[in-house]
Structures are given as structure tokens and as C-alpha cells.
Amino acid sequence: MFAEVATMSAFPHLRSLHHVNQCHYLSPPSHIYRSITTTTTKSRRRHPEPLVVDLPWVLNTSTPATTTIPLDDPSLQSTDPPPVLKRSTPVATTSMLNDPSLKSKWSHRAWVASGGTTVLVSLAKSVTGAVDSGTWLQPILAGVVGYVLADLGSGVYHWGIDNYGDENTPVFGSQIEAFQGHHKWPWIITRRQFANNLHALARAVSFTVLPMDLIFNDPVLHGFVSVCSGCIMFSQQFHAWAHTTKSKLHPLVVALQDAGVLVSRSMHGAHHRPPYDSNYCIVSGVWNELLDTYKVFEALEMVLFFKLGVKPRSWSEPSSNWTEETDTSSLIAEL
């Protein structure tokens, strides 16, 4: 009895146990507890403390009042390996990234080399003509006009193939099909190799500029032709950069985008939001605000509809072919 009184004096919170039948005393637990409930204690030792369950209400002296459960008991440990979480790889996306059509062929490189050569020859004729005549202002102004009109031309062309025709359309069918797929997988353009992305426009530039290189020597004309054709030829690369994150772009390209010299990611991103009927220009984008504000393309669509009865695709609800899918290539690279 004296031991009980001493214990209660040392531990006042145990006074609530005084109602326990006095003839059934419990042996004191081998650990010191803060409460009569199940507790776990933090240990400074390397191995965890055992889980101690104190049962002060047990009146049967044959039953131990304290039950010790070692947390490191091997019988309580699972021998099964932890589950491995695997990401499901989109088959369609994997096949796209491995698609040979995204790779450059030697024919693509040849056309890009041909187009680039005709542009450089035209630029050289403009520079040499300006040096011989001592007149620089007119060729430079002609180049600026060529740059501005190249942006307008890219917008008109982009609007046309986005809204009219299909893969069976003569001459432009492949371009129409490619641009329709671009709306579903816009990030694919960033996976295309350089010559693969430019060869179609480079071929058109070669056939257009080569005769001018052979026939004309006017520096003003070549100032316009060289800049305009060069911007048109490289417009698809500017387009690809507009879909590329800044962290993956050269700082010079980012600076040109921020300055408005090249179409920016934010400006072109508006084109890929429903109803897909704005921001068509992809060289500098300088024409986009004017064309969209005055609804120039909408007016052209109305004219074509009333004259020919042809509705543009932007008038219809976007189908699954226009719904953008997420770029999961980063996930694939991790698997």
C-alpha cells in the first residue's frame, strides 16, 4: 500500500486509477509512460523503441498488464518487394517521335541548299549593285518592305491551308494535311529536323528566285527579293521556334522574339486556341493585330462563302483533328 501511495505521489496523473480493485495490484511497467493509452516514443538509438501497451484495467493477475510489441520484429515485416509504378507510354506518341518522316533526307538537304543559294545570290547582287551605284537607302528600304510583306504572305497562306482544301487538293494537299496535323500535335514541329522542316518552301523559293537571279541585276529589286524570299523560306523555322520553350532556344532567338523581330511564343500560342481563327502570320507577327482587329480574314471568308458556297473550317466546331494533344515525349524519355 505504501508503494501505491508513493507511486501516486510521484505520478499524479495516475490517481484516476485509484478506483481499481485494491486486491489486484498491477506490476509496474518496465517503461515510464506519459499516459495510460498506447504510446510510441522517439528514440535516439539506431533501432526503434518497442511499442508498449499498458492495460491498467485488467483485473486478472494471470494476464500481463504490459504487452511489448517490438517494431523491428521480422514477422511483422513484409518480404514482398515494393510495387514498381510504371507509366503507360502512349503508343501513338512513341511512333510519332520515331517516325522517319521527321528526319531529313538528302533530297531535303539538297532543296534547302538550293533555296539558300538562290537567296544568297540575290542578296549578293543587291549588295554589289548598291556598292557600284553608291546608293544604299533604296535597297535597304526594299529589304524592309520584303520583310513586312513576307509576314503578310505567311499569314494569308496559313489562313488558306488551315481553312480550305484537304489532303487530296492538287499541289497544296500535303501542306494542308501537315497543317491539320499540326493543330493536333503542334509540338511535333519542334521534333522535325531542320531540312525536313524547310525543304518544301525551299523548293518553291528555288523555282521562283533562280530566274530572277539570272535575268535581273537591279539592287533594289534584289534587296526586296532576297529578304522576302529568305523570310518565307525560313518562316517554318520561325514557326518551330514559336513552339519551343525559351530554355531550349538560343539567347539570340529569344532576344529577337522579345523584340518582335520574330513571332513570339505567346503571340502564336493564341492561334492554337479555339476557334483557331487569329494570329495566322508566322514570320514576325507584325500583321496579326491589324488583320484580327479589322477582321480581314473573316471578310474574305464571307466573300468566298457567298460567291462559292464554301465554308471555312474555323466556322465549324473543332473536331478531334483540331484538339491539341499533350506532349508526352518528356515522359517517354524517362522510361
Side-chain angles (χ1 to χ4, degrees), residues 67-80:
T67 304
T68 302
I69 305 176
L71 297 181
D72 55 353
D73 188 351
S75 64
L76 302 178
Q77 305 289 333
S78 175
T79 58
D80 297 332

Side-chain angles (χ1 to χ4, degrees), residues 15-333:
R15 295 180 184 271
S16 60
L17 301 180
H18 188 65
H19 65 281
V20 180
N21 192 329
Q22 300 298 319
C23 63
H24 298 282
Y25 296 108
L26 303 177
S27 59
S30 58
H31 294 75
I32 298 177
Y33 311 99
R34 293 187 178 181
S35 68
I36 62 174
T37 57
T38 301
T39 60
T40 57
T41 58
K42 293 183 179 179
S43 173
R44 296 181 181 179
R45 294 181 299 177
R46 184 172 181 180
H47 297 288
E49 287 284 350
L51 179 64
V52 179
V53 182
D54 188 16
L55 306 177
W57 56 85
V58 178
L59 302 181
N60 187 357
T61 56
S62 63
T63 303
T66 301
T67 304
T68 302
I69 305 176
L71 297 181
D72 55 353
D73 188 351
S75 64
L76 302 178
Q77 305 289 333
S78 175
T79 58
D80 297 332
V84 179
L85 301 179
K86 295 183 179 180
R87 296 171 179 165
S88 59
T89 303
V91 177
T93 306
T94 307
S95 62
M96 288 176 191
L97 296 177
N98 297 327
D99 190 349
S101 65
L102 301 178
K103 309 296 183 181
S104 294
K105 301 178 181 178
W106 285 108
S107 60
H108 299 161
R109 299 185 180 96
W111 280 119
V112 171
S114 174
T117 300
T118 58
V119 170
L120 290 176
V121 169
S122 178
L123 180 61
K125 283 197 168 188
S126 178
V127 172
T128 55
V131 171
D132 294 341
S133 63
T135 304
W136 289 93
L137 182 60
Q138 290 89 337
I140 291 176
L141 291 177
V144 173
V145 172
Y147 163 75
V148 173
L149 291 183
D151 187 58
L152 176 62
S154 71
V156 173
Y157 183 75
H158 191 179
W159 163 76
I161 62 178
D162 263 8
N163 288 283
Y164 300 99
D166 54 30
E167 65 273 11
N168 298 318
T169 301
V171 182
F172 302 104
S174 60
Q175 285 285 297
I176 293 172
E177 183 181 16
F179 269 73
Q180 296 309 303
H182 173 66
H183 279 273
K184 189 173 181 65
W185 304 289
W187 45 270
I188 283 290
I189 193 173
T190 66
R191 307 300 194 271
R192 288 188 179 275
Q193 293 184 351
F194 179 76
N196 179 287
N197 198 25
L198 301 186
H199 75 279
L201 291 173
R203 182 168 57 244
V205 166
S206 297
F207 287 123
T208 304
V209 178
L210 180 60
M212 297 183 183
D213 289 343
L214 298 176
I215 298 173
F216 303 104
N217 295 312
D218 184 6
V220 177
L221 174 65
H222 281 291
F224 172 82
V225 170
S226 59
V227 176
C228 184
S229 60
C231 288
I232 290 175
M233 175 176 161
F234 284 93
S235 63
Q236 273 295 82
Q237 187 58 49
F238 304 155
H239 187 189
W241 286 337
H243 284 281
T244 306
T245 57
K246 286 187 176 182
S247 61
K248 296 181 180 179
L249 291 174
H250 191 279
L252 178 59
V253 175
V254 175
L256 292 174
Q257 288 180 338
D258 293 341
V261 177
L262 300 179
V263 63
S264 66
R265 179 180 174 86
S266 59
M267 177 181 288
H268 185 66
H271 173 72
H272 286 270
R273 292 192 289 269
Y276 310 100
D277 61 353
S278 63
N279 292 276
Y280 286 104
C281 301
I282 57 175
V283 173
S284 65
V286 67
W287 283 92
N288 282 329
E289 184 176 359
L290 179 66
L291 295 172
D292 296 339
T293 301
Y294 290 96
K295 302 184 182 302
V296 175
F297 290 126
E298 291 185 20
L300 292 175
E301 290 166 0
M302 294 294 290
V303 171
L304 291 176
F305 176 71
F306 286 113
K307 292 291 185 180
L308 304 176
V310 180
K311 293 175 60 176
R313 271 184 285 270
S314 61
W315 287 11
S316 305
E317 288 293 328
S319 64
S320 59
N321 293 330
W322 283 65
T323 304
E324 179 178 344
E325 291 190 357
T326 305
D327 179 7
T328 55
S329 58
S330 59
L331 298 180
I332 295 173

